[in-house]
């Protein structure tokens, strides 16, 4: 394993509206470390796809495994070729899936956004294809929204070569990185809720890293329906969960005392 001085927390929760419509959580995340570095990704399947969770889950794993494979080949993350080769690898994988599942699978299952990061002892790279959110050392950056709520899905490259590529957003010396958050577009909604508090809690509070289930429980509680008494009207009111959309985040922070 690598000796990177970071700890990680990650979780996903089904959005209120997806639960109400009887649809699955179409978000996914994956993170893994190797002797060469760490890769982490959050993905969000296209809302109109009947099985978008399939592409999101498989795509998240493929992006991470593809990135670690490139690191194993000594491909530097600060080279423009890194994201080019990573995107090509993922598209090749999606092409093989569409060949097995049929051409309709592209629209029904293989459209998903990507927000990811690759961390090596030397450099940290943040990249995306589509909407979402990322925060580096407390500085928050939103991706999108896009016209007609149509983000550029990576799988569009199967229909028109070169239509979409993985885009680099930040390349920093890893020594300068203290915290990093990757989120789907549901995290953009989360960040705007006064009841939740600042996003900084997710990288500053120890509980999210000391208990591997703490982050998931926090998101689940935020999205739990409750009942409130309206005493003047003498009735009970149902209060919906706060998160209308599927919400997924991966958080890295530097371990205390580690340079």
């Amino acid at each position: 394993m690598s000796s990177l001085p970071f700890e990680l927390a990650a979780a996903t929760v089904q959005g209120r509206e997806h639960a109400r419509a009887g649809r699955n959580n179409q978000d996914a995340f994956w993170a893994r470390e190797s002797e060469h570095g760490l890769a982490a990704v959050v993905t969000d399947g296209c809302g109109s796809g009947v099985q978008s969770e399939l592409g999101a889950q498989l795509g998240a794993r493929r992006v991470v495994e593809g990135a670690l494979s490139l690191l194993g080949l000594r491909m530097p993350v600060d080279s423009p070729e890194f994201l080019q080769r990573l995107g090509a690898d993922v598209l090749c994988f999606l092409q093989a899936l569409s060949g097995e599942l049929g051409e309709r699978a592209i629209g029904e299952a293989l459209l998903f956004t990507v927000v990811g990061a690759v961390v090596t002892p030397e450099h940290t790279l943040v990249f995306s294809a589509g909407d979402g959110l990322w925060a580096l050392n407390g500085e928050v950056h939103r991706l999108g929204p896009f016209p007609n709520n149509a983000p550029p899905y990576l799988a569009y490259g199967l229909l028109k070569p070169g239509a979409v590529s993985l885009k680099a957003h930040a390349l920093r010396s890893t020594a300068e990185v203290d915290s990093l958050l990757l989120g789907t577009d549901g995290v953009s909604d989360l960040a705007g809720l006064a009841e939740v508090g600042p996003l900084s809690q997710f990288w500053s509070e120890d509980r999210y890293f000391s208990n591997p289930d703490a982050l998931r429980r926090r998101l689940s509680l935020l999205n739990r329906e409750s009942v409130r008494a309206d005493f003047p009207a003498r009735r009970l009111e149902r209060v919906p969960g706060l998160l209308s959309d599927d919400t997924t985040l991966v958080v890295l922070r530097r371990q205390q005392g580690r340079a």
Side-chain angles (χ1 to χ4, degrees):
M1 298 294 288
S2 76
S3 57
L4 292 170
F6 295 99
E7 50 191 346
L8 182 146
T12 184
V13 66
Q14 181 186 33
R16 180 185 70 233
E17 296 307 315
H18 277 202
R20 183 177 297 169
R23 306 181 69 177
N24 293 326
N25 183 347
Q26 294 178 321
D27 280 6
F29 68 85
W30 193 246
R32 194 168 75 81
E33 195 175 11
S34 76
E35 61 182 309
H36 304 291
L38 179 150
V41 165
V42 297
T43 53
D44 180 5
C46 175
S48 61
V50 295
Q51 292 182 302
S52 286
E53 63 273 14
L54 175 64
Q57 292 167 10
L58 294 176
R61 292 191 178 219
R62 186 66 181 201
V63 173
V64 166
E65 299 306 323
L68 294 180
S69 178
L70 289 174
L71 293 183
L73 295 173
R74 307 296 182 181
M75 171 65 66
V77 298
D78 57 336
S79 167
E81 191 178 352
F82 187 91
L83 286 184
Q84 293 172 7
R85 290 184 61 174
L86 180 57
D89 175 80
V90 177
L91 279 179
C92 184
F93 172 70
L94 296 178
Q95 182 70 65
L97 281 179
S98 66
E100 292 290 331
L101 301 175
E103 188 174 331
R104 291 180 58 186
I106 296 175
E108 293 180 350
L110 302 183
L111 299 180
F112 57 88
T113 64
V114 174
V115 183
V118 180
V119 184
T120 71
E122 296 79 25
H123 294 100
T124 294
L125 171 69
V126 181
F127 60 91
S128 76
D131 53 12
L133 177 148
W134 60 280
L136 181 61
N137 292 344
E139 186 174 326
V140 178
H141 304 266
R142 288 176 172 81
L143 304 169
F146 293 90
N148 301 316
N149 196 29
Y153 297 111
L154 194 59
Y156 283 161
L158 299 179
L159 304 175
K160 183 180 178 181
V164 179
S165 60
L166 293 173
K167 179 181 179 181
H169 295 290
L171 179 65
R172 299 282 183 85
S173 168
T174 297
E176 300 174 354
V177 176
D178 293 317
S179 65
L180 174 62
L181 181 148
L182 310 172
T184 58
D185 61 346
V187 179
S188 294
D189 298 334
L190 178 75
L193 296 172
E195 301 93 332
V196 176
L199 280 181
S200 60
Q201 67 185 282
F202 296 115
W203 58 79
S204 62
E205 295 188 17
D206 293 340
R207 57 176 170 149
Y208 295 123
F209 301 92
S210 60
N211 182 341
D213 197 43
L215 183 54
R216 183 202 63 81
R217 288 193 303 186
R218 170 68 166 151
L219 295 180
S220 296
L221 285 172
L222 288 172
N223 224 25
R224 185 173 65 180
E225 184 181 80
S226 60
V227 177
R228 178 176 60 194
D230 183 342
F231 291 105
R234 296 184 179 182
R235 66 185 181 188
L236 296 177
E237 294 182 342
R238 291 189 179 275
V239 180
L242 296 176
L243 309 176
S244 62
D245 195 8
D246 301 334
T247 302
T248 303
L249 61 160
V250 172
V251 190
L252 293 172
R253 77 168 184 181
R254 186 172 295 275
Q255 294 174 331
Q256 295 183 358
R258 297 284 302 274

